[in-house]
Amino acid sequence: DAMVIQNPRYQVTQFGKPVTLSCSQTLNHNVMYWYQQKSSQAPKLLFHYYDKDFNNEADTPDNFQSRRPNTSFCFLDIRSPGLGDAAMYLCATSREAGLYEFFGPGTRLTVL
Amino acid sequence: QKEVEQNSGPLSVPEGAIASLNCTYSDRGSQSFFWYRQYSGKSPELIMFIYSNGDKEDGRFTAQLNKASQYVSLLIRDSQPSDSATYLCAVNGVSDKLIFGTGTRLQVFP
């Protein structure tokens, strides 16, 4: 089945220890998004790629970086996680910007 | 004013009743409107989208859009306990990015 896959599903890291989350898709969608969602809050867009074009949200901390080496894969790097970065990280894809977004299962990040 | 507003709930309805979830948005230029269901600890799942004024029905779900009033709603008929979840309203905004509301928690009790 075509889908969006995120690995790992659960990630525990220590304060300040870099972590990388991955996302892959078999939908061949042009757009890939990374969201952060904390409890009882709306998903917060961190950045998105339209094909290879990277778009960073103005309020996304410099601590967060992303890579999209090809159409299928996208990575979220958190260089020095703080306690406030503990959240669910959601990857989503869309055939075109403005159309509905298809979400992966998410990665739950815990920072100790 | 928040760009997309929803009542956080919880909205409690008995099994078999109609659940009515509401959403207002601030950008008059928005063209696409989406309803996602999110179970606790899970990712959002698209259940409906609507682009034109009026009603759109899909099974037990009906989305209603009124662009003049900047209002979109979701009706769930014959509510089931399995419908208990948070429902996120999303609206396309500047640069075609989706703007999400904080969601309405729905509880359907037997």
Side-chain angles (χ1 to χ4, degrees), chain A residues 18 35 53 79 102:
Chain A
Y35 287 90
D53 291 334
R79 293 193 295 189
F102 188 78

Side-chain angles (χ1 to χ4, degrees), chain B residues 70-98:
Chain B
Q70 295 174 244
Y71 178 94
V72 58
S73 65
L74 179 70
L75 302 178
I76 306 175
R77 287 182 299 283
D78 188 24
S79 295
Q80 301 297 311
S82 59
D83 294 325
S84 298
T86 296
Y87 289 80
L88 299 168
C89 172
V91 176
N92 79 327
V94 174
S95 300
D96 281 332
K97 290 181 286 190
L98 291 193

Side-chain angles (χ1 to χ4, degrees), chain B residues 11-22:
Chain B
L11 172 66
S12 292
V13 300
E15 184 174 357
I18 296 175
S20 178
L21 305 161
N22 304 315

Side-chain angles (χ1 to χ4, degrees), chain A residues 85-106:
Chain A
D85 296 327
M88 174 80 90
Y89 289 87
L90 297 163
C91 175
T93 73
S94 178
R95 185 167 53 83
E96 292 293 337
L99 297 183
Y100 63 83
E101 296 176 14
F102 188 78
F103 283 85

Side-chain angles (χ1 to χ4, degrees), chain A residues 32-43:
Chain A
M32 294 187 78
Y33 306 83
W34 279 105
Y35 287 90
Q36 178 193 66
Q37 189 180 28
K38 297 184 178 181
S39 182
S40 301
Q41 295 185 19

Side-chain angles (χ1 to χ4, degrees), chain A residues 17-58:
Chain A
K17 186 173 181 182
V19 67
T20 294
L21 311 181
S22 75
C23 176
S24 63
Q25 55 128 342
T26 60
L27 298 160
N28 203 32
H29 282 174
N30 286 323
V31 196
M32 294 187 78
Y33 306 83
W34 279 105
Y35 287 90
Q36 178 193 66
Q37 189 180 28
K38 297 184 178 181
S39 182
S40 301
Q41 295 185 19
K44 177 181 182 295
L45 183 63
L46 297 174
F47 19 62
H48 73 281
Y49 283 89
Y50 190 99
D51 197 9
K52 290 185 181 295
D53 291 334
F54 176 70
N55 299 272
N56 195 33
E57 293 302 296

